[in-house]
Amino acid sequence: MITLPFLGRLSLSEWPVVVISLLFAYIESVISIITELIPAPVLGFITSLLKYLHTNAFRLVFPKDETEPTDAELNQRQLVKASNIHDICKVYGFEVEDHIVETKDKYLLTIHRIPPKKKDSPVVYLHHGLLMCSDIWFLMNRRDQNLPFILHDLGYDVWLGNNRGNKYSAKHLVLKPSETKFWDFSIDEFAFYDIPDSINYALKTSGAETLTYIGFSQGSAQAFASLSINAELNNKINLFLALAPAITPVGLHHRFVDALIKSSPNIMYLIFGKKTLLPTASFWASIIYPPLFVKVIDVSIKMLFNWKSKNIDQSQRISSFKHLYSPTSVKCIVHWFQIIRNGSFQLFDENVSVTNSLTKVFQPATFPTKTNIKVPVKLIYGDIDSLVNIDKYSSLLPAELTEAVAIPAHEHLDIIWGRDVDKLIFPHVLKFLAEHRPDSKSST
């Protein structure tokens, strides 16, 4: 009889989680197939009808206020309706450019640029986190709480990156997203290709010699990994600002789920397959009543990470959570679970069943961050963020180049969407930028 070794290691307490997860994945797959079979005009009509019902339901629950809505309230309504980064930025009177980056392994990434006020402006590049895209940087209900706009006002040339496979980068010169091979990537590919190729493009297009890198969560991890394996990249980044940096999270809050992924990271393949994670999530985000969708996200992140989002107002969660999800590969999630399991910021382990045997035949290679990173690093994190293991950073980063700032009583998402980002986060960001602002002379 054929058995699956990693299933044999599950305890009785873990099996209910497996069964529920498999059932959820099955239902999600069926829904995905059904939505693909529905003709586009019919699906569009259903979506429009549901959005209309949402609007009217909202008016019934919250009777119309006779007072004039605030700018933040007006912005929130438009942000919820926005379907892409161009719609989002138009809310604040900005336009962004689309630029296509061809990676060395032939993925086509769409990265965005806010055209600078003048030529030879210093360049800032921002990169999103896991299951996100460049939208995340523009979702605050107030203009002065969106970091890219502040940087643009200060005279920076602002660029925003996107990972392969996400909302804006689902293209390859040979492969199609319907093929499993398209989704065969992890943090390794982000580090070897997406980050350096995007940075090289931004520098070449702007004519600058160096840029400042700002990463959120996995966007920081990708840069740490890329800098550690690419000596040349260290000469192209003058400052690295890591917001809520995730390198070696200790685990998940839900003890059954945590035990499950630590015992067998590859179980994600069994549950979700080997392509993209939750392909219909964006569809559901567009049709579920916004306050209800926020409740679903609140419950999910509370269960997984023990985040309570007390620093993010309900109206802000409606704006931000609507655009929270963007596709990535299941393999990327498996990579994170390997890192969590081993407590090591390592490259993807292609043969986890062998390397985790008692004999330890192979040892997964770790990213040499402490010895190879030569760039000033500034960490800004919430002191109650369950994903940031700050005590571990001393062994992972060069002490002489690293400075950390803890934001009291803040969690992970609070660092970009908290109600006081302009008072608690931006001053640190702008201080570090001012200290390291490079000569803006063109290299051309």
Side-chain angles (χ1 to χ4, degrees):
M1 184 177 78
I2 298 175
T3 60
L4 297 176
F6 64 90
L7 287 180
R9 293 200 298 269
L10 299 179
S11 68
L12 290 177
S13 64
E14 293 166 352
W15 271 105
V17 179
V18 177
V19 173
I20 293 172
S21 299
L22 286 171
L23 180 61
F24 172 79
Y26 174 75
I27 294 173
E28 204 273 343
S29 297
V30 171
I31 293 173
S32 179
I33 294 172
I34 292 174
T35 54
E36 288 180 4
L37 293 176
I38 297 175
V42 175
L43 191 61
F45 172 76
I46 294 173
T47 303
S48 299
L49 178 61
L50 288 171
K51 287 181 177 179
Y52 172 80
L53 293 175
H54 293 166
T55 302
N56 284 276
F58 193 84
R59 289 170 180 168
L60 288 174
V61 177
F62 301 99
K64 183 177 180 181
D65 193 341
E66 295 300 326
T67 61
E68 287 292 322
T70 65
D71 288 343
E73 290 171 337
L74 291 172
N75 292 340
Q76 185 229 28
R77 296 173 189 175
Q78 295 181 70
L79 289 172
V80 170
K81 296 177 182 178
S83 61
N84 55 53
I85 196 169
H86 298 283
D87 293 341
I88 292 170
C89 288
K90 283 179 182 177
V91 173
Y92 298 102
F94 276 82
E95 292 187 1
V96 293
E97 300 172 347
D98 291 341
H99 292 260
I100 304 299
V101 176
E102 180 184 342
T103 66
K104 291 182 177 64
D105 58 346
K106 300 187 183 305
Y107 281 84
L108 300 181
L109 314 179
T110 299
I111 66 174
H112 302 289
R113 182 191 196 187
I114 302 178
K117 293 181 177 180
K118 62 180 182 179
K119 189 179 179 181
D120 300 337
S121 298
V123 179
V124 175
Y125 175 94
L126 297 92
H127 206 91
H128 61 81
L130 178 65
L131 294 170
M132 293 177 168
C133 66
S134 53
D135 291 354
I136 67 160
W137 300 104
F138 302 100
L139 298 175
M140 295 299 286
N141 294 335
R142 284 172 38 197
R143 180 193 184 281
D144 62 349
Q145 290 189 319
N146 289 286
L147 184 57
F149 298 150
I150 300 301
L151 297 176
H152 177 269
D153 291 344
L154 291 173
Y156 286 93
D157 184 355
V158 182
W159 292 77
L160 306 109
N162 283 294
N163 286 339
R164 62 185 61 198
N166 83 358
K167 175 180 178 179
Y168 297 112
S169 302
K171 185 72 175 176
H172 189 278
L173 290 178
V174 178
L175 304 173
K176 298 179 180 179
S178 58
E179 300 176 54
T180 301
K181 185 65 177 175
F182 178 94
W183 300 99
D184 186 20
F185 59 81
S186 66
I187 298 172
D188 294 1
E189 283 70 30
F190 300 152
F192 279 98
Y193 304 111
D194 293 13
I195 294 300
D197 291 344
S198 295
I199 287 176
N200 287 336
Y201 180 94
L203 291 176
K204 182 178 179 180
T205 304
S206 65
E209 294 181 352
T210 65
L211 57 73
T212 296
Y213 184 102
I214 301 178
F216 171 72
S217 190
Q218 180 183 277
S220 294
Q222 293 174 206
F224 283 127
S226 195
L227 286 166
S228 74
I229 58 178
N230 190 326
E232 184 181 352
L233 191 62
N234 283 265
N235 298 321
K236 298 177 180 179
I237 297 178
N238 54 60
L239 172 66
F240 176 12
L241 290 174
L243 307 181
I247 302 183
T248 54
V250 295
L252 301 180
H253 175 65
H254 194 287
R255 64 189 184 94
F256 291 153
V257 179
D258 184 65
L260 184 62
I261 62 98
K262 286 180 177 177
S263 65
S264 297
N266 281 2
I267 199 168
M268 289 294 294
Y269 290 139
L270 176 68
I271 298 173
F272 294 105
K274 290 192 173 184
K275 294 184 180 180
T276 184
L277 185 73
L278 304 177
T280 62
S282 298
F283 170 73
W284 288 111
S286 68
I287 67 172
I288 294 179
Y289 182 45
L292 176 60
F293 185 74
V294 167
K295 187 64 177 178
V296 172
I297 299 298
D298 281 339
V299 171
S300 299
I301 61 178
K302 175 68 167 61
M303 181 187 75
L304 292 175
F305 309 114
N306 198 30
W307 298 342
K308 302 177 179 66
S309 300
K310 292 182 178 179
N311 293 308
I312 308 177
D313 295 329
Q314 171 71 3
S315 61
Q316 185 58 60
R317 296 207 295 277
I318 290 175
S319 301
S320 301
F321 289 178
K322 169 68 164 57
H323 302 277
L324 177 61
Y325 175 82
S326 193
T328 193
S329 67
V330 175
K331 185 175 182 179
C332 187
I333 308 298
V334 172
H335 193 171
W336 273 116
F337 288 169
Q338 291 179 1
I339 291 171
I340 291 172
R341 176 185 183 177
N342 297 328
S344 171
F345 190 45
Q346 64 182 55
L347 280 76
F348 187 83
D349 189 348
E350 296 287 357
N351 198 1
V352 67
S353 62
V354 174
T355 58
N356 288 291
S357 67
L358 293 176
T359 56
K360 295 281 185 183
V361 178
F362 301 108
Q363 180 66 41
T366 58
F367 291 106
T369 51
K370 191 175 182 68
T371 56
N372 287 7
I373 292 180
K374 309 298 182 183
V375 174
V377 177
K378 309 297 182 182
L379 312 174
I380 303 176
Y381 68 99
D383 68 354
I384 57 171
D385 185 348
S386 62
L387 288 186
V388 176
N389 184 8
I390 197 66
D391 293 334
K392 184 99 175 184
Y393 282 43
S394 60
S395 64
L396 294 173
L397 301 174
E400 69 279 7
L401 293 173
T402 305
E403 180 179 354
V405 176
I407 308 301
H410 271 55
E411 298 171 338
H412 203 67
L413 296 175
D414 299 348
I415 299 299
I416 55 171
W417 292 334
R419 69 176 65 89
D420 294 318
V421 291
D422 54 328
K423 301 181 182 69
L424 299 178
I425 312 300
F426 291 1
H428 295 293
V429 171
L430 299 181
K431 171 179 174 287
F432 292 140
L433 282 169
E435 292 174 352
H436 294 268
R437 184 160 177 148
D439 188 323
S440 61
K441 287 183 180 180
S442 173
S443 61
T444 58

